[in-house]
């Protein structure tokens, strides 16, 4: 009787040890899989960092127009100032014909000017030159009597609020699209919506101006029609 109990006890101990060994092995394999997964993720992070580093290096590059040794001039404190195109000509890269040829005009402070012409006459090119998005092939563009190339590009372009014929809606909120990710002025946002005729449309949305355009970042985002997208 004692012998049978002893054999039963040994079997129970053996089974317990075997279960423990199996359990430990299972835990080891599980931890190994997690570790291998972490290694794979870490190796992938290195790849992502390499891509991001290329982006940061690119964004840190100084533009060719900002590589001069002279520090950019400050904009005149007495804004608004006059714009002068002084014998300006412009030819797009790899083009034989000039988009603009020997243009000289002055736009005085407070003056409203309408530029009218056929397609290809150079109207958009003239605006690009004023904003310093392109630089004259010949001649100068002056702001307050100073060549605009002597001002810092970012500071100078803050003078403008230009809407070109082509448009692009970003997959951010309606408010971000209006403010271009700048500081939001609720009254200004409302006025922009009112002028564009989208006030009722936005008011009907559950999230209002915080509604995302498209569904890239939010499944509840709104998809505007072509005509609605052109209004802002």
């Amino acid at each position: 009787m004692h012998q049978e109990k002893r054999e039963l006890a040994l079997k129970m101990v053996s089974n317990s040890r075997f279960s423990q060994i199996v359990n430990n092995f299972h835990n080891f394999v599980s931890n190994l899989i997690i570790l291998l997964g972490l290694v794979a993720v870490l190796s992938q992070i290195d790849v992502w960092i390499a891509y991001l580093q290329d982006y940061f290096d690119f964004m840190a590059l100084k533009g060719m127009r900002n590589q001069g040794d002279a520090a950019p001039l400050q904009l005149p404190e007495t804004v608004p100032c006059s714009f002068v195109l002084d014998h300006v000509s412009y030819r797009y890269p790899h083009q034989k014909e000039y988009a603009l040829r020997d243009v000289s005009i002055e736009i005085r402070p407070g003056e409203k000017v309408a530029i009218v012409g056929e397609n290809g006459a150079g109207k958009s090119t003239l605006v690009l030159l004023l904003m310093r998005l392109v630089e004259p092939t010949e001649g100068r563009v002056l702001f307050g009597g100073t060549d605009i190339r002597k001002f810092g590009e970012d500071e100078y372009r803050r003078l403008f609020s230009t809407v070109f014929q082509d448009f692009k809606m970003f997959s951010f909120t309606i408010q971000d699209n209006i403010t271009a990710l700048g500081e939001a002025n609720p009254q200004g946002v409302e006025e922009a919506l009112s002028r564009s005729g989208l006030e009722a449309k936005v008011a009907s949305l559950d999230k209002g101006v915080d509604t995302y355009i498209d569904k890239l970042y939010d499944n509840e985002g709104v998809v505007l029609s072509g005509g609605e997208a052109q209004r802002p």
Side-chain angles (χ1 to χ4, degrees), residues 26-159:
H26 178 268
N27 290 336
F28 171 76
V29 172
S30 298
N31 291 332
L32 181 62
I33 292 174
I34 293 173
L35 180 62
L36 291 175
L38 288 174
V39 171
V41 170
L42 290 174
S43 64
Q44 189 64 34
I45 288 175
D46 286 338
V47 176
W48 295 334
I49 290 175
Y51 278 113
L52 285 174
Q53 189 60 51
D54 290 340
Y55 168 77
F56 291 133
D57 291 343
F58 175 77
M59 295 302 294
L61 289 175
K62 294 179 66 175
M64 293 180 64
R65 291 179 289 195
N66 288 332
Q67 290 178 351
D69 295 330
L73 298 179
Q74 296 295 318
L75 291 173
E77 295 182 1
T78 56
V79 177
C81 297
S82 63
F83 285 97
V84 174
L85 274 71
D86 181 24
H87 297 283
V88 169
S89 299
Y90 184 75
R91 182 175 60 193
Y92 285 96
H94 311 297
Q95 298 295 319
K96 294 182 179 180
E97 300 295 330
Y98 280 83
L100 289 175
R101 187 66 168 167
D102 195 23
V103 176
S104 294
I105 59 173
E106 179 180 1
I107 304 175
R108 299 179 181 86
E111 187 176 12
K112 295 181 180 180
V113 178
I115 303 171
V116 182
E118 298 178 354
N119 290 340
K123 303 184 296 296
S124 297
T125 302
L126 181 60
V127 176
L128 293 175
L129 286 163
L130 287 174
M131 294 186 63
R132 204 187 167 194
L133 292 174
V134 297
E135 294 196 355
T137 306
E138 301 167 8
R140 301 178 303 163
V141 178
L142 307 177
F143 177 66
T146 302
D147 192 322
I148 62 175
R149 287 172 285 199
K150 295 183 179 180
F151 300 121
E153 284 187 339
D154 292 339
E155 185 181 11
Y156 175 75
R157 287 179 186 150
R158 290 193 186 100
L159 296 173

